[in-house]
Amino acid sequence: MRNKIILKNLPAAILCLLLAGSLTACGKNADITPVQTETSAPAETVLPQTSDTSETSPEYPALTPDRDSESASAAQEAPPENDSETILADQSFDGVDLGEYQNVRFTTSQVTRNGLSHAQYSLTDDGETVYTFPDAYTSWYFEHTINFITFRDINGDGKKDVITSEQYITGAGPEGALPFSMVRIYLNQGRDFLFAEGLSISIGNSLDVSNGETYTAENVLSVLEEQVYCNFDGSGGWTRGEIESFAFLVKQDVLTDNRQSLAQKVRYPLNIVRNGSEQQIQSPEEFVEQYDEILNMQVIYDVEGAETEGLFWNQDGVMLGTGAIWFGKMEDGSIKIYSIPAEVQYCNPLNVD
């Protein structure tokens, strides 16, 4: 299964390498310097490996458990045949501020259900769970090892996202007992944290999944912060983290019909062409009012089937789907949708309007 995961994402990895090469050429010709925005999170340093990090400062950078600690290993063990939840104290942190949750405890647990264990993350306040992060990779066996947990604003929206990495085994086949690492990226939406599965797998497979030592916060963040989308106006490149997380959130808004959220991701006035005539959408309120016309079935079908990693880009911006939505970085450093063309190419075998 590990090989399938790697092979599945090999084309995306090759595309990213090609795009990164293009950016290097563009950077040399345009003398591009990295983008600096007011909302970018400051660089974080990594604490030395330790088995006791529960009293760490709220700025906690990436934290890596002491894999050789007998006490830590004993604390992580849980009865394999019974339903249980064991808190991993060395990977749980007090005084956390994330989104709308202030001064809470970030709790990491090993949860076992029907003999299958997985890592679970939650936020607790005075012992009460106030938020549980979405599950991920629950069909594999969690191998008791957290590679790291870190908090970083990866898309420049001013809110710290949550990035973790754990080790698993498939438990099947001749390589079923060989551990491999995966990455989870949770995008901070204020009260909720969305698991960006495609981006997580794409970023994780940029490293050697069979080598847990490569799964450090520094290595994963370096992939997220790599400028692989070139900005031809000379102001700098666009990182994988900011571009691909924005694409994921746009698709999520369309899939969940979250019209208010999508309206906030648009640059106004928005120029559109519908029924052969040009129109201007002046505000988020007008966008919501005209939503069914702006996001017609052509656009919706195209976005629903779109990948959100390894996106096509040119001098104008970044394309989602086959052209349903175009977006890019604005002068103030924010990323916004600037075009929703009238015509796109999409697969509609049932010929639904």
Side-chain angles (χ1 to χ4, degrees):
M1 182 175 290
R2 293 185 299 112
N3 294 333
K4 291 182 180 179
I5 297 169
I6 299 170
L7 290 173
K8 178 182 178 182
N9 291 277
L10 185 57
I14 295 173
L15 179 57
C16 288
L17 290 174
L18 292 174
L19 290 177
S22 301
L23 175 60
T24 302
C26 177
K28 291 180 179 178
N29 294 335
D31 191 25
I32 289 177
T33 56
V35 175
Q36 299 291 334
T37 68
E38 293 182 359
T39 57
S40 296
E44 297 179 356
T45 57
V46 178
L47 292 182
Q49 290 189 1
T50 175
S51 60
D52 183 12
T53 55
S54 59
E55 298 301 323
T56 308
S57 160
E59 284 302 318
Y60 24 50
L63 297 163
T64 305
D66 184 352
R67 297 175 184 171
D68 297 324
S69 170
E70 294 182 3
S71 60
S73 297
Q76 294 176 13
E77 292 180 357
E81 298 180 358
N82 300 318
D83 289 355
S84 64
E85 179 175 347
T86 303
I87 295 176
L88 308 184
D90 63 336
Q91 290 297 296
S92 300
F93 319 113
D94 291 316
V96 175
D97 295 332
L98 284 174
E100 297 182 15
Y101 305 96
Q102 301 295 302
N103 195 29
V104 294
R105 179 173 176 81
F106 184 93
T107 302
T108 302
S109 303
Q110 177 182 322
V111 177
T112 302
R113 297 287 183 267
N114 299 319
L116 183 65
S117 66
H118 66 277
Q120 178 177 284
Y121 302 105
S122 60
L123 301 177
T124 59
D125 189 9
D126 291 333
E128 296 291 331
T129 299
V130 294
Y131 184 79
T132 300
F133 289 79
D135 278 336
Y137 315 131
T138 55
S139 61
W140 296 324
Y141 293 86
F142 171 52
E143 269 296 277
H144 319 304
T145 300
I146 304 290
N147 292 324
F148 69 83
I149 296 171
T150 192
F151 309 91
R152 179 73 68 93
D153 177 10
I154 68 170
N155 53 7
D157 63 359
K159 296 177 291 191
K160 284 189 177 181
D161 307 299
V162 179
I163 309 168
T164 75
S165 176
E166 311 86 25
Q167 292 189 19
Y168 301 86
I169 61 172
T170 64
E175 297 183 352
L178 297 178
F180 59 94
S181 296
M182 297 298 291
V183 170
R184 303 192 200 187
I185 298 173
Y186 292 106
L187 297 177
N188 188 341
Q189 300 301 288
R191 191 151 193 84
D192 296 306
F193 294 80
L194 300 180
F195 173 49
E197 182 175 12
L199 179 60
S200 299
I201 294 174
S202 172
I203 296 299
N205 281 339
S206 298
L207 305 173
D208 181 358
V209 297
S210 64
N211 183 2
E213 297 299 325
T214 68
Y215 274 75
T216 64
E218 296 94 331
N219 288 344
V220 170
L221 289 172
S222 70
V223 178
L224 281 166
E225 294 168 358
E226 183 182 6
Q227 295 180 353
V228 297
Y229 294 92
C230 190
N231 186 352
F232 285 85
D233 67 5
S235 63
W238 302 331
T239 69
R240 290 181 66 178
E242 61 187 352
I243 291 297
E244 294 180 11
S245 62
F246 183 85
F248 167 81
L249 293 174
V250 168
K251 182 174 179 177
Q252 186 74 11
D253 285 344
V254 174
L255 289 174
T256 59
D257 198 30
N258 194 337
R259 305 182 178 201
Q260 296 287 349
S261 178
L262 189 62
Q264 299 302 318
K265 296 180 174 66
V266 175
R267 180 194 66 183
Y268 299 96
L270 173 68
N271 295 310
I272 67 171
V273 178
R274 294 295 183 269
N275 300 320
S277 63
E278 295 184 3
Q279 303 177 44
Q280 274 198 338
I281 307 300
Q282 300 290 341
S283 66
E285 293 75 19
E286 187 177 353
F287 183 91
V288 172
E289 183 180 343
Q290 302 290 331
Y291 187 90
D292 291 329
E293 183 178 0
I294 298 169
L295 264 76
N296 56 31
M297 293 308 296
Q298 283 186 313
V299 174
I300 291 175
Y301 274 123
D302 199 45
V303 172
E304 286 180 345
E307 299 291 338
T308 57
E309 301 81 43
L311 302 172
F312 172 82
W313 54 269
N314 60 23
Q315 67 272 18
D316 295 321
V318 183
M319 181 178 77
L320 181 61
T322 62
I325 290 177
W326 286 80
F327 61 91
K329 185 170 286 189
M330 304 294 104
E331 293 181 358
D332 63 358
S334 64
I335 300 176
K336 297 289 186 181
I337 297 169
Y338 64 83
S339 179
I340 303 179
E343 300 295 335
V344 295
Q345 299 297 319
Y346 71 101
C347 180
N348 183 12
L350 298 179
N351 207 22
V352 178
D353 294 328

